[in-house]
Amino acid sequence: MPQKSPSLPQKNRYRVFGNMALVVPKELDELEKPFSLHSPKPFEIRFQVPDLRVPIRDFLRTREVGEFLSGALAGAMTKAVLAPLETIRTRMVVGVGSKNITGSFIEIIEQQGWQGLWAGNGINMLRIIPTQAIELGTFECVKRTMTSAQEKWKQIEGPKFQIGHVNVNFSLSWVSPVAVAGAAAGIVSTLACHPLEVLKDRLTVSPDIYPSLSIAISKIYKDGGVGAFYAGLSPTLVGMLPYSTCYYFMYEKLKKSYCQSKKKKSLNRLEMLVVGALAGFTASTISFPLEVARKRLMVGALQGKCPPNMVAALAEVIRDEGLMGLYRGWGASCLKVMPASGITWMFYEAWKDILLVEKRIL
């Protein structure tokens, strides 16, 4: 029988090159063969981007986002209309120029032209959009939370303590959710947007020193660092707390009382305008002396006579101008605050209807 030549292991193959024979590993030999229809496909990496359209759309349609956007839009539309009154009011409050509305109006036109009435309006718009969004969004959220807490507190009858023969029951029924929400709205929005208020006042009062937003930012930072953007924060919070609490409390109280007297569920747009204006008038009248002191503290450094605190600022006003000085610029403030409050509430409720009730946009 012919002898079989010894076979090499199956894992290797021969390759002949001229008079030489080389052993090629099976793995390398397989790589050189073209892929057939039945050969496995090469390894592929595929990335699939998750579809975020539905989660984003659902998020934008939430109640909180709708209230936030409604506040931002209402604030922007109101401020665009009433910017001239804001400019005149600021000048009168801090004691720049004429002491009456007509004189201030004429001075601005003569010195800066018609565009002077909108001095600082760019930063004013940047300020009012986040401020109104945060303020109204916080108000609605805190009001719902406080109302829900009160209802749960009533169900469990609250905690009870006994000291000897005396029973002590804690209750939240005496706390007004609207008042607490109004105070929280003012504090949160002030903490978040105070630097923009500082910039707006500097651009309005001293346009020659701060001719543009970029120059104002760099100059304020150079003079006092980051802390300079929070100049007057304490008096601002002191002045904002009574105003914001009274403002929201009066609006809700007037709205509820009017609806009950007319036996209706909600106000129409004109009624919102009037009720909002009355709420702004009441809150501004009560807290205006604190507003005068706040403005004095914020821009006093520009005139080289900054009072050390709010009490000193109030005392300085009374000493220089008497008690009536505490209400200097009150007329211009009411002319600005009343239409601003009414228009803001009217636009805010309208945008809430569009975004949350009818859902025409989101």
Side-chain angles (χ1 to χ4, degrees):
M1 288 180 62
Q3 294 182 352
K4 294 182 179 180
S5 59
S7 60
L8 294 172
Q10 292 299 317
K11 63 180 181 179
N12 297 329
R13 295 288 186 274
Y14 277 111
R15 288 293 180 88
V16 179
F17 299 93
N19 296 327
M20 294 186 298
L22 299 177
V23 178
V24 180
K26 180 181 179 181
E27 289 79 3
L28 295 178
D29 185 62
E30 291 293 334
L31 289 174
E32 295 181 1
K33 295 180 180 180
F35 288 104
S36 63
L37 294 176
H38 302 286
S39 63
K41 295 182 179 180
F43 180 72
E44 296 181 359
I45 300 178
R46 294 183 179 180
F47 295 96
Q48 184 176 1
V49 179
D51 188 359
L52 299 177
R53 289 176 295 179
V54 174
I56 291 175
R57 184 186 62 191
D58 293 340
F59 172 74
L60 292 176
R61 288 182 175 180
T62 59
R63 185 180 186 89
E64 290 76 13
V65 173
E67 291 166 349
F68 186 89
L69 292 177
S70 298
L73 292 168
M77 296 172 73
T78 302
K79 191 57 64 178
V81 175
L82 301 176
L85 286 177
E86 171 70 11
T87 300
I88 295 173
R89 183 185 75 96
T90 301
R91 289 171 61 93
M92 292 184 66
V93 167
V94 300
V96 175
S98 177
K99 297 183 178 181
N100 58 72
I101 298 173
T102 305
S104 294
F105 177 82
I106 295 174
E107 281 183 357
I108 294 173
I109 298 298
E110 291 178 347
Q111 296 173 5
Q112 305 175 40
W114 287 99
Q115 64 271 20
L117 294 171
W118 279 267
N121 192 50
I123 185 61
N124 216 5
M125 293 294 287
L126 292 177
R127 177 188 67 87
I128 200 63
I129 290 174
T131 299
Q132 286 296 98
I134 294 171
E135 187 173 319
L136 288 166
T138 302
F139 170 73
E140 297 281 8
C141 183
V142 174
K143 184 178 72 171
R144 281 196 302 271
T145 303
M146 284 295 299
T147 302
S148 176
Q150 280 188 337
E151 293 176 354
K152 292 179 180 179
W153 201 279
K154 289 179 181 178
Q155 293 175 359
I156 64 175
E157 297 183 352
K160 298 179 180 180
F161 298 92
Q162 184 172 358
I163 304 175
H165 298 286
V166 179
N167 294 323
V168 180
N169 296 331
F170 287 92
S171 175
L172 289 178
S173 59
W174 59 274
V175 178
S176 170
V178 175
V180 174
I187 293 173
V188 172
S189 64
T190 299
L191 291 174
C193 303
H194 187 75
L196 297 176
E197 177 73 14
V198 173
L199 286 170
K200 189 266 296 183
D201 284 341
R202 299 290 178 92
L203 290 169
T204 302
V205 176
S206 301
D208 52 335
I209 301 176
Y210 305 98
S212 67
L213 177 60
S214 59
I215 293 176
I217 293 174
S218 62
K219 186 171 179 58
I220 293 173
Y221 180 78
K222 182 179 179 180
D223 293 342
V226 177
F229 290 98
Y230 285 90
L233 178 60
S234 297
T236 298
L237 289 174
V238 173
M240 174 58 69
L241 190 61
Y243 174 83
S244 182
T245 303
C246 180
Y247 174 60
Y248 287 99
F249 180 80
M250 288 301 299
Y251 177 77
E252 292 288 333
K253 192 70 175 178
L254 290 171
K255 181 175 70 172
K256 184 177 180 180
S257 300
Y258 185 81
C259 288
Q260 289 177 347
S261 64
K262 297 295 182 180
K263 296 181 180 181
K264 56 194 303 185
K265 294 182 178 180
S266 62
L267 304 177
N268 59 38
R269 301 296 178 225
L270 180 59
E271 291 167 343
M272 289 177 189
L273 181 69
V274 175
V275 171
L278 290 175
F281 171 79
T282 305
S284 179
T285 302
I286 292 174
S287 62
F288 194 78
L290 297 177
E291 173 72 3
V292 172
R294 181 181 75 87
K295 291 290 185 180
R296 284 290 182 94
L297 287 171
M298 289 186 67
V299 301
L302 300 177
Q303 301 174 348
K305 51 177 184 178
C306 182
N309 52 58
M310 178 168 282
V311 176
L314 290 171
E316 181 182 286
V317 173
I318 295 174
R319 184 181 67 248
D320 296 342
E321 306 177 37
L323 290 175
M324 293 303 296
L326 296 176
Y327 281 89
R328 181 183 179 184
W330 175 76
S333 181
C334 288
L335 286 178
K336 177 258 177 184
V337 169
M338 291 181 65
S341 300
I343 294 172
T344 297
W345 279 112
M346 184 179 67
F347 281 140
Y348 176 66
E349 298 291 353
W351 278 112
K352 276 208 308 182
D353 289 342
I354 294 172
L355 298 178
L356 296 177
V357 180
E358 302 171 10
K359 296 185 177 181
R360 284 191 237 160
I361 297 178
L362 299 178

